[in-house]
């Protein structure tokens, strides 16, 4: 399987590089390459329209955002020169800089900002602005974003939603984007490559590269391309980020990109969703089982053995972020404690087959993961090995996303999440989001957690919001409801040309899109 993946990826890579308008050998001043070549995955099959979700995980590249997060994750101005929030939290007023232009030469105005937010609210894309009541351009450079209710996390919409031009936003926009960002889309060969060129009208720091070519290859082909010098940056899973590579430097970037086991929360009573998806699991609906799994796992061993040391143990969904509650964590690597908890709850191995049972139900379940994801496969297999000695039988099963979506209310799934936005906690644990897209797939519900999450969203004071986020974690965490078993936080690993200075890199979110490109306008050749 790996061999065929490499061959297919190599063909795509060769075609992409052959089709490039320039090559890395081109020089702008006799010595500095004018083209950058990246194999970092993340092709957006839906295109590059922010109102439909493009740019949620990383820089929108072609568009600018009102605000941004710097390398230290502080919120700073981008298109906005200032913003303020009314005391009741219902009106966000933003002043827009006057020197920004779209790539077609038209000025960026408050009307474009209002149009973007209005359109995104109507589209139902993954950038959730449904709390917006209306967006109004007060004058040429001032917009008011009026909400139906206060939302402490709305600042993240100003950070993530790229601004589109009202005059040029039509049906073809996702494949022919016009924006005010540092790059302009030049050519997109779907499934092979994306070529972008520098936007010389960009108001910010100009990128050092005339063109950037994103080549879309599999893991093995990306590694081969890095080894042969065909790309300047290659994103690779930790399993392939080993050994020295001439002319390249291994860069590890800390992230909040986590992997965890979602537990179906309800018992199997024969119910299904409106779409016919089965609901319930008689093993994972038992709190004692969920807590025992959390206690038995050796997360550091998962980091060392599956991630090759490129990561850290996960104790919850928001480790290390300002709203993280460390007291919600529990001691792991405690299989004996897990055994005692299971026995106290009535899970015993009466027939001596090594698997506990209770009221005729075997302590066994499949653990689904996306087929082809080697990292999640490794985690799933390791989890199965760790739980076998405590009498819980787990079968790791790689499945298509169609199968996972159909089974995720009834079978545990190894998911990946991670965001700079605490809204992700709401999406994963609020009963209001149960079964919406891939959010809260276990259909977890707790009235206290719902109340804390709702209060966190509604808070107008960031410190008050954080207090509610922390309180919610104490309820849904591994020592309480244990709705998930969080496993690891990844380090994102890249091989980069030894002469390429990537600057100070952010703690990265979940790996969709191109999070490493957040600071691409500041990348420079050093030799």
């Amino acid at each position: 399987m790996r061999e065929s993946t490499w061959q297919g990826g190599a063909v795509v890579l060769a075609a992409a590089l052959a089709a490039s308008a320039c090559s890395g050998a081109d020089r702008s001043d006799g010595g500095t390459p004018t083209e950058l070549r990246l194999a970092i995955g993340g092709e957006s099959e839906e295109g590059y329209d922010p109102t439909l979700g493009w740019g949620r995980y990383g820089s929108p590249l072609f568009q600018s955002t009102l605000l941004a997060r710097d390398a230290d994750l502080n919120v700073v101005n981008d298109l906005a020169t200032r913003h303020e929030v009314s005391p009741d939290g219902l009106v966000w007023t933003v002043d827009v800089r006057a020197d920004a232009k779209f790539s077609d030469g038209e000025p960026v105005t408050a009307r474009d900002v209002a149009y973007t937010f209005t359109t995104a609210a109507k589209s139902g894309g993954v950038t959730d602005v449904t709390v917006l009541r209306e967006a109004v351009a007060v004058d040429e450079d001032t917009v008011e974003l009026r909400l139906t209710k206060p939302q402490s996390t709305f600042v993240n919409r100003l950070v993530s939603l790229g601004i589109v031009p009202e005059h040029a936003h039509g049906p073809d926009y996702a494949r022919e984007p016009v924006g005010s960002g540092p790059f302009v889309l030049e050519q997109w060969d779907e499934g092979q490559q994306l070529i972008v060129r520098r936007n010389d009208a960009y108001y910010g720091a100009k990128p050092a590269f005339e063109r950037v070519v994103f080549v879309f290859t599999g893991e093995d082909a990306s590694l081969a391309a890095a080894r042969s010098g065909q790309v300047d940056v290659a994103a690779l899973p930790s399993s392939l980020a080993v050994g020295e590579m001439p002319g390249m430097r291994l860069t590890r970037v800390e992230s909040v990109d986590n992997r965890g086991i979602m537990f179906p929360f309800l018992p199997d009573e024969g119910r299904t969703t409106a779409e016919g998806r089965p609901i319930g699991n008689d093993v994972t609906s038992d709190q004692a089982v969920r807590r025992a799994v959390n206690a038995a796992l050796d997360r550091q061993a998962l980091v060392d053995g599956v991630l090759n040391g490129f990561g850290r143990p996960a104790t919850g969904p928001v480790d290390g972020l300002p709203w993280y509650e460390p007291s919600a964590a529990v001691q792991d690597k405690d299989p004996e404690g897990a055994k005692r908890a299971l026995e106290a709850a009535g899970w015993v191995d009466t027939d001596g087959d090594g698997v506990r049972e209770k009221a005729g139900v075997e302590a066994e379940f499949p653990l689904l993961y996306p087929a082809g994801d080697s990292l999640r496969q490794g985690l799933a297999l390791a989890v199965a090995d760790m739980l076998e000695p405590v009498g819980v039988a787990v079968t790791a099963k790689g499945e298509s996303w169609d199968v996972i979506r159909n089974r995720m209310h009834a079978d545990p799934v190894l998911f990946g999440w991670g965001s700079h936005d605490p809204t992700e906690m709401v999406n994963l644990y609020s009963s209001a989001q149960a079964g919406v897209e891939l959010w809260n797939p276990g259909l977890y519900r707790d009235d206290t957690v719902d109340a804390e999450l709702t209060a966190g969203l509604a808070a107008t004071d960031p410190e008050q919001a954080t207090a509610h986020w922390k309180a919610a974690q104490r309820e849904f965490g591994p020592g309480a409801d244990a709705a998930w078993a969080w496993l690891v936080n990844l380090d994102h690993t890249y091989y980069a040309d030894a002469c390429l200075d990537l600057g100070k890199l952010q703690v990265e979110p979940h790996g969709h899109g191109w999070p490493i490109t957040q600071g691409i306008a500041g990348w420079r050749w050093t030799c």
Side-chain angles (χ1 to χ4, degrees):
M1 192 67 181
R2 277 189 175 274
E3 182 179 359
S4 64
T5 299
W6 185 91
Q7 290 171 343
V11 171
V12 170
L13 177 64
L17 294 174
S20 298
C22 303
S23 76
D26 290 338
R27 306 280 167 170
S28 62
D29 57 4
T32 304
T34 61
E35 180 179 285
L36 189 67
R37 294 166 296 179
L38 311 179
I40 57 176
E43 180 177 22
S44 177
E45 296 179 0
E46 295 78 23
Y48 302 95
D49 185 345
T51 67
L52 300 177
W54 160 245
R56 181 180 179 222
Y57 291 103
S59 168
L61 209 66
F62 312 114
Q63 298 90 8
S64 303
T65 53
L66 293 173
L67 303 175
R69 290 190 184 274
D70 65 16
D72 296 315
L73 301 184
N74 299 310
V75 175
V76 297
N77 289 330
D78 189 351
L79 270 177
T81 57
R82 74 174 190 93
H83 76 281
E84 63 180 22
V85 186
S86 63
D88 61 5
L90 292 176
V91 180
W92 293 61
T93 302
V94 184
D95 288 343
V96 182
R97 62 189 302 153
D99 60 342
K101 292 184 178 181
F102 290 111
S103 52
D104 62 1
E106 293 295 317
V108 180
T109 69
R111 291 190 303 277
D112 296 302
V113 175
Y115 170 81
T116 299
F117 275 80
T118 300
T119 304
K122 292 178 179 178
S123 73
V126 295
T127 300
D128 180 13
V129 286
T130 53
V131 74
L132 183 72
R133 177 168 62 87
E134 61 179 347
V136 178
V138 178
D139 55 37
E140 280 295 300
D141 61 3
T142 306
V143 65
E144 287 187 357
L145 304 171
R146 302 168 183 171
L147 311 186
T148 58
K149 57 185 178 181
Q151 188 177 85
S152 62
T153 58
F154 193 70
V155 66
N156 294 289
R157 309 301 163 260
L158 279 64
V159 169
S160 62
L161 182 56
I163 302 304
V164 303
E166 182 176 12
H167 67 275
H169 188 251
D172 299 326
Y173 181 87
R175 280 162 171 74
E176 300 175 3
V178 174
S180 56
F183 291 97
V184 178
L185 192 154
E186 183 173 289
Q187 180 179 330
W188 182 16
D189 303 313
E190 294 185 44
Q192 295 186 14
Q193 68 173 356
L194 179 78
I195 303 175
V196 307
R197 71 174 187 275
R198 181 171 59 207
N199 178 9
D200 289 324
Y202 178 55
Y203 55 84
K206 303 296 189 295
F209 317 100
E210 292 180 6
R211 278 184 173 80
V212 179
V213 179
F214 297 83
V215 291
F216 304 126
T217 58
E219 296 172 355
D220 292 317
S222 295
L223 177 61
R227 283 177 171 162
S228 61
Q230 292 178 296
V231 296
D232 302 300
V233 180
L236 295 168
S238 56
S239 60
L240 297 180
V242 293
E244 297 293 325
M245 191 179 297
M248 303 292 278
R249 178 181 63 252
L250 178 60
T251 299
R252 56 190 296 173
V253 184
E254 186 176 330
S255 84
V256 291
D257 188 358
N258 48 48
R259 298 292 181 271
I261 300 171
M262 175 282 306
F263 294 121
F265 192 70
L266 301 175
D268 182 1
E269 298 174 341
R271 291 177 294 168
T272 62
T273 67
E275 299 80 16
R277 297 170 177 169
I279 294 173
N281 185 300
D282 287 335
V283 179
T284 63
S285 60
D286 189 321
Q287 183 188 68
V289 172
R290 301 193 302 270
R291 287 184 176 181
V293 169
N294 270 281
L297 296 175
D298 184 345
R299 291 166 174 81
Q300 187 60 53
L302 295 176
V303 170
D304 296 338
V306 181
L307 305 187
N308 290 328
F310 293 110
R312 63 192 193 281
T315 62
V318 294
D319 289 353
L321 294 173
W323 39 89
Y324 169 56
E325 176 49 75
S327 71
V330 295
Q331 179 183 347
D332 68 352
K333 196 181 175 181
D334 184 16
E336 295 306 315
K339 291 177 184 178
R340 290 192 296 271
L342 288 169
E343 289 169 3
W347 292 93
V348 293
D349 180 12
T350 58
D351 56 11
D353 66 351
V355 180
R356 297 174 184 273
E357 62 270 348
K358 178 180 179 180
V361 176
E362 297 279 323
E364 60 183 9
F365 53 80
L367 178 53
L368 309 186
Y369 64 89
D373 189 321
S374 59
L375 188 148
R376 294 194 211 193
Q377 179 186 40
L379 289 171
L381 291 170
V383 164
D385 288 343
M386 290 177 181
L387 294 181
E388 181 180 6
V390 303
V392 177
V394 174
T395 304
K397 297 183 67 175
E399 299 285 4
S400 69
W401 276 109
D402 286 342
V403 171
I404 290 172
R405 286 186 175 90
N406 186 59
R407 297 293 308 175
M408 63 185 179
H409 308 317
D411 293 332
V413 178
L414 212 163
F415 276 109
W417 296 96
S419 174
H420 297 151
D421 182 353
T423 304
E424 190 141 301
M425 272 191 298
V426 180
N427 293 336
L428 294 178
Y429 290 98
S430 169
S431 64
Q433 300 289 22
V436 177
E437 300 295 338
L438 294 176
W439 295 332
N440 192 359
L443 308 182
Y444 170 70
R445 180 187 182 98
D446 180 85
D447 290 344
T448 301
V449 170
D450 280 345
E452 295 292 355
L453 295 175
T454 300
L457 283 175
T460 57
D461 182 321
E463 291 187 4
Q464 291 179 354
T466 294
H468 290 298
W469 303 137
K470 291 186 173 186
Q473 291 169 65
R474 291 192 290 270
E475 298 295 328
F476 64 60
D481 286 341
W484 289 65
W486 295 99
L487 304 177
V488 294
N489 296 294
L490 312 183
D491 285 346
H492 291 167
T493 47
Y494 304 89
Y495 278 106
D497 190 295
C499 289
L500 183 62
D501 181 4
L502 303 179
K504 184 177 181 180
L505 297 171
Q506 279 186 346
V507 174
E508 293 184 353
H510 188 49
H512 289 305
W514 301 317
I516 195 173
T517 64
Q518 179 274 335
I520 193 172
W523 294 5
R524 295 289 185 271
W525 291 113
T526 60
C527 51

